[in-house]
Amino acid sequence: MDDLVQITLLSLGVSGLATAISLLIGLPLGTWLALSTFRSRGLVLSVVNTGMALPPVVAGLAVAFLLWRSGPLGDLGLIYTPSAIVLAEVVIATPVILGLAAAGIGQLDPRLQLQLQGLGASRWQTIWWLWREARLSLLAALMAGFGSVISEVGAAMMVGGNISGQTRVLTTAIVLDVGRGEFGSAVALAGILLALAFLINGVLTWAQLRKRQH
Amino acid sequence: MSVRLFSRRTAFPVDSGERTSALLQVRGLVVERGGRRVLDIGQFSVRRAETVAVVGPNGAGKSTLLLAMAFLLRPTRGELAFDGTPVTPRRSLALRRRIGLVLADPLLLDTTVRKNVASGLRFRGVRGRQAGLRVDEWLDRLGILALRDRHARELSSGEAQRVSLARALVLDPEVLLLDEPFASVDVAARAQLVDDTERLLRETERACLLVTHDLDEAGRLGSRMAVVVNGRLRQEGAPQEVLAKPVDPEVAAFVGVETRLPGRLLSVRDGLGTVMVQEHRVEAVTSLSPDRNVLCCLRPEDVTLRPLGRLSPPSPLTSARNRLEGRIVNVASKGPLVHVTVDCGALLVAAVTKTSTLEMGLRPGDRVEASFKATALHLIGLPG
């Protein structure tokens, strides 16, 4: 039972932290990508879109290469730690949040920016109000980012090592339990994962419905 | 070639007389987009307490001019000055906080009417009770106080544009910039909104730059009219003067001069010119010198028609010097009026009220006499 709580908390912590970091990177970049016009914008967008479809195992492999004891960042000793999982999950979630944020802000009327500035908004006030106008899309981006990492197995396994009490998260624990034939425990963990997914989507649906009521 | 943008060292040359009246000024304003010159304005200004109506066909560059004058579009080159102070990128936020902007679409924020109207005040750090009172005052002046707690999405087009106007006016701007403010509004609500805007501009004595393609709006709201065609400022003046005396063929076409006939100015005596238009000799008041090609401009409302036939009444005594006979080739309804095209050798368009059309029984094929005064015929000099 203690295991279950510890694994759930670690999963939430690691994925939550990774999502937060991804938001800090993805939201400003996505905003910039949506609002700027430069020649290679199409190229950058297609790179981001590729990143959104990046197989988590590939992201895990890249981070594993980086953190491997003989790798470029091997001296940090991060391989098989929760930090390694966070790093891999940031690589997975950032393109998702960036791409969806850029799409959400890009959907706003381009003249809204002019209207806000014409009412005396500074650069930061303009960006803040554009985020506010695109808040549902941004919430969806955040949820999609979190959803992509909480349910991810391959990378967490590869760079975390599924070490009991240290880097074992919900998904890797389920894989292990099924391998051992411990279906009862696997089902319990899967139930928790499912409840989390339901919670995330519930929040999003509620926000959308509330907006539509107006 | 070095191009200085908003150079701070360039003193904006304004004489003291202009300094007191010209609030927003541009000089040598050029905007290029994709290598194409979309705007090229030598000199243009908005003075205190006047409404300048910038008119022109779609795509003429009117809105680009307005955005540049709102410091929202950086021109390729040129100088802008606000109240005698040159506009620099560093100063543009401070200067933008002295203007009010209303665009064709209301572009309301996803919140209540009150919060929308308060948004500009929030940008300036004005909140709380003071902001609330100002917001309510302007909602009331625009007749939408009852809607203040509604969500912006639940408004009609007319109500939404009123919110947009209130949102700009609550800022007590020194210049109000309106870009086609009535274009998105239902026809039913438009007349009342134009009336109210006219009243508010008069009451507040606010300087205003109004961009519109509608000559009626421009004539009603504008104390001055500026015609922009193909990115250039072609003519500026009192609305009546621009409508009656366009300076070039394109302005003439835009301001509703339906009859534009090429002719030759033969002679001028005491300001009265004789023009040969095809086989007709007509007279026009002009300051042009004789022996040159001209374009004869005649507004439809300045042409009077009289049916000719067995039972036609005798020619009325009028001061109209020009009388041409011809046959009606087309009768077309234009709002409250009917535009009648008469073939007198040259095609002439006359505006007649619907009642008169019925009374005179004007129909295609009928013979009529078209008459117009020498003062109504405006001549534009053409090369050659």
Side-chain angles (χ1 to χ4, degrees):
Chain A
M1 192 61 211
D2 280 354
D3 266 9
L4 216 63
V5 172
Q6 191 269 331
I7 289 172
T8 305
L9 288 180
L10 183 67
S11 269
L12 282 175
V14 163
S15 297
L17 184 61
T19 308
I21 295 171
S22 298
L23 184 71
L24 286 178
I25 302 169
L27 184 57
L29 283 178
T31 307
W32 171 75
L33 201 56
L35 300 181
S36 60
T37 48
F38 54 95
R39 212 169 289 168
S40 45
R41 187 163 171 267
L43 183 74
V44 175
L45 271 173
S46 61
V47 168
V48 170
N49 287 334
T50 309
M52 286 173 77
L54 183 75
V57 173
V58 176
L61 182 66
V63 172
F65 264 131
L66 213 60
L67 298 184
W68 203 251
R69 298 208 201 288
S70 55
L73 298 177
D75 292 343
L76 298 174
L78 288 177
I79 193 83
Y80 302 139
T81 64
S83 300
I85 308 179
V86 170
L87 188 61
E89 291 188 343
V90 166
V91 174
I92 295 162
T94 299
V96 173
I97 293 181
L98 200 165
L100 292 179
I105 292 165
Q107 271 172 11
L108 296 175
D109 192 319
R111 292 164 306 167
L112 185 61
Q113 203 188 340
L114 293 176
Q115 177 69 74
L116 288 168
Q117 290 175 327
L119 289 168
S122 68
R123 180 193 305 232
W124 298 118
Q125 285 170 332
T126 305
I127 289 172
W128 173 255
W129 281 79
L130 289 177
W131 283 350
R132 201 182 168 282
E133 286 299 294
R135 58 190 182 270
L136 263 193
S137 309
L138 298 183
L139 183 64
L142 187 69
M143 295 304 188
F146 185 72
S148 71
V149 292
I150 190 82
S151 59
E152 187 285 320
V153 197
M157 189 80 91
M158 215 181 299
V159 303
N162 198 16
I163 302 165
S164 176
Q166 288 176 42
T167 60
R168 184 162 297 170
V169 291
L170 282 169
T171 50
T172 56
I174 294 172
V175 172
L176 188 71
D177 284 349
V178 171
R180 286 177 180 159
E182 291 173 11
F183 285 95
S185 168
V187 167
L189 290 164
I192 294 172
L193 200 57
L194 210 60
L196 284 173
F198 180 79
L199 200 70
I200 292 164
N201 288 297
V203 168
L204 195 58
T205 311
W206 171 77
Q208 276 167 346
L209 285 178
R210 208 176 64 121
K211 182 174 166 129
R212 215 164 290 156
Q213 271 171 8
H214 284 294
Chain B
M1 195 180 70
S2 80
V3 174
R4 266 193 266 150
L5 238 183
F6 292 125
S7 169
R8 237 172 302 144
R9 274 170 296 171
T10 317
F12 201 81
V14 273
D15 63 61
S16 54
E18 260 185 320
R19 187 181 288 274
T20 52
S21 57
L23 199 52
L24 198 49
Q25 257 182 307
V26 299
R27 190 179 290 242
L29 185 76
V30 174
V31 177
E32 284 169 359
R33 215 171 273 149
R36 203 173 71 86
R37 188 168 287 199
V38 292
L39 197 65
D40 186 351
I41 304 285
Q43 197 163 4
F44 180 65
S45 63
V46 181
R47 302 187 201 112
R48 287 182 198 284
E50 77 164 351
T51 299
V52 187
V54 176
V55 297
N58 282 333
K62 311 180 294 279
S63 296
T64 306
L65 174 64
L66 181 129
L67 288 181
M69 292 185 84
F71 326 122
L72 289 172
L73 180 147
R74 196 184 276 213
T76 311
R77 54 181 166 273
E79 295 163 33
L80 272 104
F82 189 101
D83 204 7
T85 314
V87 177
T88 62
R90 194 181 301 180
R91 286 193 201 126
S92 78
L93 176 63
L95 294 178
R96 266 196 275 115
R97 289 190 168 168
R98 293 166 68 180
I99 63 164
L101 180 73
V102 176
L103 297 175
D105 287 313
L107 295 167
L108 298 183
L109 299 166
D110 187 11
T111 180
T112 63
V113 166
R114 275 186 98 166
K115 284 186 178 159
N116 262 285
V117 177
S119 58
L121 293 172
R122 276 185 72 171
F123 297 151
R124 289 158 178 77
V126 183
R127 287 159 183 270
R129 215 178 107 77
Q130 197 203 348
L133 288 174
R134 277 170 75 175
V135 166
D136 284 358
E137 184 207 330
W138 278 100
L139 287 173
D140 191 30
R141 287 181 83 166
L142 277 146
I144 47 172
L145 188 57
L147 305 176
R148 67 180 185 180
D149 295 318
R150 283 254 207 113
H151 196 278
R153 253 178 318 205
E154 300 166 20
L155 304 175
S156 70
S157 62
E159 290 165 348
Q161 199 59 317
R162 279 171 190 270
V163 174
S164 183
L165 275 164
R167 184 170 64 172
L169 281 162
V170 75
L171 303 171
D172 198 17
E174 289 170 62
V175 186
L176 198 58
L177 300 160
L178 310 176
D179 187 6
E180 299 275 9
F182 314 115
S184 69
V185 178
D186 293 340
V187 180
R190 195 178 301 169
Q192 187 62 49
L193 185 56
V194 175
D195 280 350
D196 289 352
T197 308
E198 187 185 8
R199 175 176 53 81
L200 289 172
L201 286 174
R202 204 176 47 238
E203 284 172 6
T204 55
E205 294 186 327
R206 205 57 15 135
C208 174
L209 179 70
L210 169 74
V211 163
T212 178
H213 66 278
D214 186 311
L215 287 168
D216 289 335
E217 285 170 15
R220 284 191 48 198
L221 299 176
S223 43
R224 204 148 57 84
M225 194 185 273
V227 187
V228 175
V229 181
N230 286 333
R232 285 174 180 272
L233 182 60
R234 298 291 182 87
Q235 190 169 4
E236 256 186 288
Q240 284 318 311
E241 186 197 315
V242 175
L243 294 182
K245 294 188 167 58
V247 293
D248 68 41
E250 283 173 292
V251 174
F254 178 74
V255 300
V257 174
E258 298 247 347
T259 305
R260 303 184 300 277
L261 300 167
R264 187 143 187 102
L265 181 58
L266 299 176
S267 63
V268 180
R269 192 167 296 155
D270 297 332
L272 190 66
T274 305
V275 189
M276 203 65 195
V277 181
Q278 290 167 4
E279 74 271 28
H280 298 287
R281 219 173 250 275
V282 291
E283 291 185 327
V285 172
T286 183
S287 56
L288 294 174
S289 51
D291 208 29
R292 64 179 300 177
N293 290 335
V294 290
L295 189 73
C296 300
C297 297
L298 193 56
R299 298 192 69 86
E301 55 269 29
D302 291 333
V303 181
T304 318
L305 294 183
R306 187 172 69 91
L308 294 174
R310 271 168 300 165
L311 296 171
S312 66
S315 177
L317 287 170
T318 69
S319 60
R321 283 184 166 266
N322 300 302
R323 287 160 200 276
L324 303 176
E325 288 184 18
R327 230 172 247 290
I328 296 177
V329 291
N330 190 32
V331 178
S333 184
K334 282 265 172 80
L337 296 174
V338 175
H339 278 195
V340 182
T341 311
V342 183
D343 184 0
C344 315
L347 289 179
L348 226 70
V349 181
V352 187
T353 62
K354 282 201 169 132
T355 327
S356 305
T357 314
L358 289 174
E359 277 172 10
M360 293 192 284
L362 299 177
R363 262 181 310 241
D366 289 358
R367 292 194 62 233
V368 289
E369 181 193 70
S371 56
F372 48 92
K373 295 180 182 183
T375 48
L377 191 64
H378 169 63
L379 302 183
I380 295 172
L382 294 178

